[in-house]
Amino acid sequence: MSTAELEHAKTSAGLPPHPERATMEGRNKVLGFWLFLGAETVLFACLFGTYLALKGSTLDGPTTQELYKIPMVAAATIILLTSSLTSVLGVLGLHQNNYKKLMFWFGVTVLLGAAFLGLEIYEFVEYVHEGHTFTSSAFGSAFYTLVGTHGAHVLFGITWITALMIQARRRGINLDTAPKFFVASLYWHFVDVVWVFIFTVVYLMGKVG
Amino acid sequence: MATIVTIIVFILFLGAILTGGYNKELMARFRSHWLWDWITTVDHKKIGILYALGGGFFFIFGGIEALLMRMQLFYPNNDFIVGRTFNELLSMHGTTMIFFVAMPLLFALMNVAVPLQIGARDVAFPFLNALGFWLFFAGGLLMNLSWLFGNAPDAGWTNYVPIAANEYSAGTGIDYYVLGLQISGIGTLIGGINFLVTIINMRAPGMSFLRMPLFTWTSFVASALILFGFPPLTAGLFLIMFERLFGANFFDVAAGGNPIIWQHLFWIFGHPEVYIVILPAFGVMSEVISTFSKKRLFGYTSMVFATILIGFLGFMVWAHHMFTVGMGPVANSIFAIATMAIAVPTGIKVFNWLFTMWGGKIRFTTAMLYAVGFIPTFVMGGVTGVMLASPPADYQYHDSYFVVAHFHYVLIGGTVFGVLAGLYYWWPKMFGYTLNEKIGKWNFWLFFIGFHMTFFIQHFIGLFGMPRRVFTYQPEDGLTLINQISTYGAFLMAVASILLVVNIVYSYRHRVPAGNDPWDGRTLEWTISSPAPFYNFAQLPRVRALDAFWHEKMNGRKEMEPAEPLGPIHMPNDTHLPFVMTLGFFVSGLGFVFRSNEVGVLGLIIVILTMFVRSFEKDHGYHVETDEIEKTEKGANA
Amino acid sequence: MEAKVQQNQTQIKKQSSESSLKHLISFGWMILLTAVAFAAVALNIVPQNLVIPLILALAVVQVFLQLFTFMHLDFKKHRLTVMFMFTGIGIGVICAVALWILV
């Protein structure tokens, strides 16, 4: 057994079914993070509002109907949605005190997140070639700020989860690491929720016109 | 220049992280120094004092900026300070007073009192509490550095585009505003989340929500306002930063943008912001008035309800700052009605304070003087607010001194009086001795008279036609005498402020131990020693009713019944990481101000690295053993 | 000790293996909702003026699915969190709509 698995076997016998809520610190972290997500909701709402106000200001550039690559967006959506599922399966591993399950599913989540980012970068490069850049028009600035901020959140998420996985390899699942994984998965679901609105409001509404 | 500074800082940072301090003796001397203690503290009581010091420090800046403006306006066509410099003064005065004086002073009171009032040993996230303080201070420092480097922000505290965009404001001035506020804004958001979780999760056994003191309630609602009100500012500041630094086109009409977006984002933040600064002051009033009337607060439940309603409605009224922008009569009417509606719960609170005093045994301590002075002053500000809430009338008042008079009445009559009352009230809990009452009374009366002298007449300055944000007027305008009266009043306020400092020094020199409960208080903070022991409560108290301590007193008991046996107490460790992380943000902000993307990114890398160091730390705090607790308790009660 | 660990694990597995299915079902619904939204736009099967309200409604349903299944939010157990999230969503909607129609 690896160090982590040994550590983990030592503590797992005594770990309660919802380890992230078993300590005061854990409960505080979970509540604090939900509140932070509330604030982030308002932040993204402001960026959505700005986008909606400016999406018609394309100047000479391509319009939303001409520009958006819906099949690519559909693929990215499936990838991110699946990663949301895999992260909750990872949390299930957390609740079942199953170290291997936790590591596997969170690992898949990171890979899917990276795939999403890769696809999005490819998409942006395509748009830039078609004359749609950050500085080309108000629409361009609003689009890249909204979708780019979301992408930055994805990047932060995969870095965070990777770091947590490194921590878990050394220390296993215990009352300290459990809330961290739970909170990171809350973040990841939130990032997916924002994407649901992005593909709806930006891409689908953009296609309808 | 900035690059060299940053590289040096980065090398020092790496050195600190990698060497872990190779000179053990020097490190030991550093670590036991009192300055290190204050830099690394995570104790909410110390952080409260730091916030008070920070707020007091920036008050000197904001105050001098005000006096210089009033001096310029003493004579028509005065040439003391004109043009751009005057614009810098007015912008910095407003921004500094709201973000770097009012908010930190309120956070000081919240930090000192809220954990004690709910019977907790610290806030939910002590590390983040320290980080929040340092970020506020760094943001304020960054913005005020603009005075040194020649270009302070000069587009008003509201920083409207297009005047704040590159075309009309080239150079670094506005960038100081954007980055300084962004950094301190992160600190404020962190503080808000901290107090919300603390109040929700860490109340002593028996303290239900409806048994919480009013100051805790108002801090709770204000924190919720921070949580939801700051993100629009964050978004707006990012947009303006991207436009100024990276060529984005949100507000530039030629590129299809719209400057009104900034106004909306700013005021969706800006209006909740003023409720953020007034609600804790209302809370202080409730505590002070009930304590010094020796009577329970009248209508507790309606006070709680009114607080929540004010918080909620505060998000629905922002466009009353934009009546003249051209949104049209329908939008204007909706916001006008919502604005007038806020007067109702506020009025409920005022009447409840009056009814609390009625029939009470009133003691006019300095804190009570500020509370009683607050009532007519704030109400005056409130009624001029209702006047401004009518869009057709506002077309006349907008951008005149009438508005200036209104908001100074609510901000000073409300927030500042509240802060001063809170300071006098909780001073003994913070430092172990009370402030001198005689000097306090002089402080109050000079400040009160000076304030009304300065600002009452400004209503008329506005009604007689003087616009705001102008650096002079003409001799034939008939504004000279009233401007001069206003200036005299401002100097009287300055004298009063100096008296406060005199009081602090005098009271320290002649200090007498105040004991646990110098005011015969009603709430939990008065059950422990003054100053409080570092762990707050040796045993968490059992709360049986509203005004928990008063309830015990009325039932013949001198102390609270403990809710747990005496046992080892778990306390958080001090840490230098919040300071280091703030350094990273500061470097990043400086970098972006001086348009060096490399330095900006470097600072952010420092921030991210520090976050990872923190995440990997196995910091489980330390335990205070029972014998040490008993010794401390005995020492405190000796 | 080993036996107890095993017992614990099987017990917990029993409790949560049902919820593993629950999450897969939620996921299925999310895929369906997403597919319907994409189809509604791509295939022109819905009258023009109804498309946008429809896809917005589908998005809202999916969000609630995420909140209450994937994110383990519970109406009864987490009342305050639910209140704060709804308030945040409410204020967010007000901001977004205000910027959309007033600018």
Side-chain angles (χ1 to χ4, degrees):
Chain A
M1 283 216 248
S2 74
T3 330
E5 284 165 313
L6 265 170
E7 272 262 335
H8 174 68
K10 261 191 282 172
T11 52
S12 73
L15 271 188
H18 281 267
E20 73 275 0
R21 285 183 193 275
T23 58
M24 165 80 91
E25 285 84 0
R27 285 192 298 276
N28 284 350
K29 282 187 178 152
V30 172
L31 175 62
F33 204 77
W34 270 110
L35 296 175
F36 175 70
L37 290 182
E40 286 254 271
T41 306
V42 180
L43 179 73
F44 271 103
C46 292
L47 295 180
F48 271 105
T50 306
Y51 171 82
L52 287 169
L54 296 176
K55 68 182 167 88
S57 307
T58 52
L59 295 187
D60 294 326
T63 64
T64 61
Q65 277 130 317
E66 299 160 1
L67 183 68
Y68 292 149
K69 301 189 169 359
I70 298 298
M72 213 185 289
V73 169
T77 306
I78 302 297
I79 292 175
L80 202 61
L81 246 174
T82 311
S83 75
S84 198
L85 171 72
T86 57
S87 79
V88 84
L89 291 176
V91 167
L92 230 51
L94 178 73
H95 288 167
Q96 292 165 350
N97 289 311
N98 189 332
Y99 169 82
K100 282 213 174 92
K101 188 167 175 178
L102 172 103
M103 293 296 273
F104 175 74
W105 286 116
F106 272 109
V108 173
T109 308
V110 169
L111 289 173
L112 289 174
F116 171 90
L117 266 183
L119 209 52
E120 187 159 81
I121 291 173
Y122 180 72
E123 178 199 352
F124 283 4
V125 167
E126 293 271 298
Y127 292 161
V128 165
H129 285 326
E130 293 173 30
H132 172 62
T133 70
F134 187 59
T135 56
S136 58
S137 64
F139 162 59
S141 303
F143 172 82
Y144 283 105
T145 303
L146 172 60
V147 186
T149 304
H150 174 265
H153 276 73
V154 174
L155 179 62
F156 186 85
I158 46 187
T159 320
W160 183 9
I161 295 179
T162 309
L164 287 185
M165 285 170 66
I166 298 175
Q167 257 183 58
R169 253 188 70 207
R170 295 191 201 162
R171 304 176 199 171
I173 306 177
N174 56 41
L175 292 175
D176 281 328
T177 56
K180 298 187 191 196
F181 273 102
F182 189 78
V183 155
S185 94
L186 283 182
Y187 177 83
W188 195 255
H189 294 300
F190 176 76
V191 163
D192 188 42
V193 162
V194 174
W195 181 256
V196 167
F197 277 101
I198 290 186
F199 84 70
T200 307
V201 171
V202 174
Y203 292 104
L204 292 184
M205 270 172 69
K207 247 322 178 226
V208 170
Chain B
M1 164 69 162
T3 326
I4 298 174
V5 169
T6 320
I7 292 181
I8 295 176
V9 168
F10 194 59
I11 291 175
L12 283 173
F13 165 78
L14 278 176
I17 294 261
L18 295 173
T19 63
Y22 62 88
N23 183 340
K24 297 250 183 288
E25 245 185 57
L26 187 63
M27 287 293 128
R29 264 180 63 206
F30 276 160
R31 274 176 222 268
S32 53
H33 196 275
W34 61 263
L35 194 59
W36 185 252
D37 181 28
W38 284 85
I39 290 178
T40 60
T41 186
V42 294
D43 180 345
H44 71 98
K45 302 180 286 297
K46 286 216 177 85
I47 292 175
I49 295 175
L50 285 172
Y51 266 114
L53 285 171
F57 172 71
F58 287 114
F59 176 72
I60 300 173
F61 283 78
I64 292 179
E65 283 149 6
L67 290 176
L68 290 174
M69 285 193 283
R70 289 286 359 136
M71 282 162 69
Q72 161 62 17
L73 293 170
F74 196 72
Y75 294 117
N77 285 324
N78 201 358
D79 58 0
F80 172 54
I81 295 181
V82 297
R84 194 207 153 101
T85 316
F86 189 86
N87 293 343
E88 290 174 339
L89 281 179
L90 67 91
S91 310
M92 291 299 282
H93 168 75
T95 314
T96 301
M97 286 303 204
I98 292 192
F99 290 103
F100 306 125
V101 179
M103 295 203 66
L105 289 176
L106 290 168
F107 263 79
L109 295 178
M110 284 161 69
N111 259 298
V112 165
V114 170
L116 298 182
Q117 284 199 333
I118 62 173
R121 292 209 165 100
D122 206 313
V123 292
F125 306 112
F127 177 94
L128 290 180
N129 204 9
L131 181 63
F133 164 73
W134 286 111
L135 286 175
F136 132 70
F137 194 71
L141 207 64
L142 181 60
M143 205 185 292
N144 280 284
L145 271 182
S146 64
W147 285 120
L148 281 182
F149 295 133
N151 243 341
D154 65 340
W157 88 284
T158 52
N159 207 51
Y160 278 11
V161 283
I163 205 168
N166 279 324
E167 190 185 342
Y168 297 102
S169 287
T172 52
I174 302 295
D175 298 323
Y176 281 105
Y177 174 94
V178 172
L179 269 330
L181 272 191
Q182 194 74 286
I183 293 175
S184 82
I186 300 173
T188 310
L189 183 67
I190 289 174
I193 296 180
N194 215 341
F195 282 110
L196 283 172
V197 178
T198 308
I199 293 172
I200 294 174
N201 271 359
M202 293 173 72
R203 284 164 285 136
M207 185 172 280
S208 61
F209 271 106
L210 289 175
R211 284 181 182 170
M212 292 193 324
L214 242 299
F215 181 71
T216 303
W217 261 113
T218 54
S219 302
F220 181 64
V221 177
S223 300
L225 289 176
I226 290 175
L227 184 74
F228 297 126
F230 265 77
L233 179 68
T234 310
L237 287 174
F238 270 126
L239 297 189
I240 234 185
M241 178 181 166
F242 291 165
E243 179 144 325
R244 286 180 60 86
L245 264 55
F246 305 127
N249 295 305
F250 300 103
F251 311 117
D252 181 7
V253 178
N258 194 326
I260 305 299
I261 294 179
W262 166 261
Q263 290 195 32
H264 278 293
L265 286 175
F266 182 81
W267 287 116
I268 293 175
F269 150 76
H271 198 82
E273 163 69 5
V274 306
Y275 288 106
I276 292 166
V277 298
I278 197 64
L279 284 178
F282 283 173
V284 173
M285 295 302 144
S286 296
E287 303 294 339
V288 166
I289 289 179
S290 60
T291 303
F292 295 112
S293 306
K294 269 227 171 355
K295 205 161 153 264
R296 70 162 185 232
L297 185 69
F298 186 93
Y300 173 86
T301 321
S302 65
M303 287 297 245
V304 169
F305 180 68
T307 309
I308 297 174
L309 195 56
I310 291 173
F312 175 71
L313 283 176
F315 273 101
M316 311 284 162
V317 302
W318 78 87
H320 66 224
H321 301 271
M322 297 164 64
F323 280 149
T324 60
V325 141
M327 296 181 302
V330 175
N332 276 359
S333 308
I334 297 174
F335 284 107
I337 295 172
T339 308
M340 293 184 195
I342 293 201
V344 175
T346 316
I348 291 178
K349 289 180 91 81
V350 172
F351 281 116
N352 282 353
W353 287 314
L354 294 174
F355 294 151
T356 307
M357 289 171 65
W358 183 268
K361 187 165 178 291
I362 301 186
R363 274 176 301 156
F364 281 107
T365 57
T366 311
M368 187 60 165
L369 281 172
Y370 274 111
V372 173
F374 151 91
I375 291 181
T377 315
F378 181 79
V379 169
M380 285 167 74
V383 299
T384 52
V386 178
M387 289 167 75
L388 290 163
S390 158
D394 187 59
Y395 264 82
Q396 301 298 316
Y397 303 133
H398 181 72
D399 270 347
S400 77
Y401 260 85
F402 190 81
V403 180
V404 177
H406 156 72
F407 65 68
H408 281 96
Y409 261 78
V410 285
L411 282 174
I412 300 186
T415 306
V416 176
F417 282 15
V419 164
L420 290 170
L423 227 52
Y424 275 91
Y425 183 59
W426 279 306
W427 195 268
K429 189 53 57 184
M430 291 159 77
F431 298 110
Y433 58 91
T434 55
L435 287 172
N436 180 281
E437 281 298 314
K438 238 171 118 208
I439 306 179
K441 289 182 166 61
W442 274 95
N443 166 223
F444 167 74
W445 283 110
L446 286 181
F447 196 73
F448 188 75
I449 294 171
F451 164 76
H452 284 284
M453 202 162 132
T454 314
F455 292 106
F456 185 67
I457 206 140
Q458 287 193 4
H459 293 103
F460 297 98
I461 295 180
L463 293 174
F464 293 163
M466 183 169 174
R468 61 186 285 200
R469 294 175 169 157
V470 295
F471 60 81
T472 197
Y473 48 93
Q474 299 308 306
E476 57 269 20
D477 290 336
L479 297 167
T480 314
L481 178 63
I482 44 186
N483 265 294
Q484 290 178 339
I485 296 174
S486 185
T487 303
Y488 285 128
F491 276 92
L492 198 54
M493 288 173 77
V495 170
S497 307
I498 294 173
L499 265 185
L500 178 63
V501 178
V502 166
N503 197 348
I504 291 173
V505 175
Y506 179 90
S507 307
Y508 176 74
R509 287 242 182 92
H510 295 86
R511 62 189 183 281
V512 170
N516 291 17
D517 186 13
W519 313 121
D520 196 17
R522 313 174 72 88
T523 41
L524 286 179
E525 70 267 34
W526 307 110
T527 64
I528 51 181
S529 65
S530 304
F534 67 95
Y535 47 75
N536 297 350
F537 299 91
Q539 293 164 274
L540 296 185
R542 185 99 194 44
V543 170
R544 292 216 163 81
L546 176 60
D547 280 347
F549 191 26
W550 195 253
H551 179 86
E552 302 295 307
K553 287 182 184 176
M554 291 298 104
N555 285 304
R557 287 185 283 272
K558 289 240 181 87
E559 340 174 285
M560 301 296 297
E561 186 190 318
E564 55 172 8
L566 190 63
I569 295 178
H570 182 244
M571 294 297 289
N573 279 328
D574 286 350
T575 163
H576 59 290
L577 289 179
F579 189 78
V580 173
M581 207 187 285
T582 305
L583 214 60
F585 272 112
F586 186 74
V587 163
S588 179
L590 258 184
F592 284 121
V593 165
F594 285 107
R595 306 283 173 106
S596 161
N597 293 337
E598 297 81 15
V599 175
V601 171
L602 197 68
L604 289 176
I605 292 177
I606 294 180
V607 170
I608 306 247
L609 281 180
T610 321
M611 283 172 83
F612 281 107
V613 168
R614 170 64 180 177
S615 177
F616 278 82
E617 240 176 23
K618 260 193 201 178
D619 176 7
H620 298 161
Y622 66 97
H623 280 95
V624 189
E625 294 305 323
T626 11
D627 49 348
E628 189 183 339
I629 303 173
E630 282 171 340
K631 225 177 13 163
T632 316
E633 292 293 296
K634 238 186 243 152
N637 293 328
Chain C
M1 164 78 156
E2 278 289 331
K4 184 155 182 256
V5 173
Q6 284 282 53
Q7 214 178 32
N8 235 351
Q9 293 217 340
T10 11
Q11 236 179 9
I12 296 166
K13 225 182 201 150
K14 251 204 208 126
Q15 292 175 314
S16 4
S17 59
E18 295 136 32
S19 42
S20 183
L21 186 60
K22 188 173 94 154
H23 289 304
L24 283 165
I25 294 176
S26 293
F27 178 69
W29 277 109
M30 289 179 200
I31 296 281
L32 186 65
L33 291 166
T34 310
V36 170
F38 272 90
V41 167
L43 299 179
N44 280 320
I45 44 181
V46 179
Q48 269 308 92
N49 56 337
L50 282 182
V51 176
I52 292 183
L54 173 69
I55 57 178
L56 280 173
L58 289 170
V60 168
V61 172
Q62 204 182 129
V63 166
F64 278 101
L65 214 53
Q66 278 267 4
L67 282 175
F68 288 96
T69 60
F70 279 10
M71 292 167 91
H72 296 92
L73 203 55
D74 184 316
F75 253 125
K76 290 192 201 97
K77 279 193 255 169
H78 309 137
R79 276 224 320 246
L80 227 91
T81 308
V82 171
M83 251 195 280
F84 269 94
M85 272 316 276
F86 277 26
T87 310
I89 292 171
I91 293 174
V93 168
I94 291 175
C95 289
V97 171
L99 283 169
W100 191 9
I101 62 177
L102 287 178
V103 173

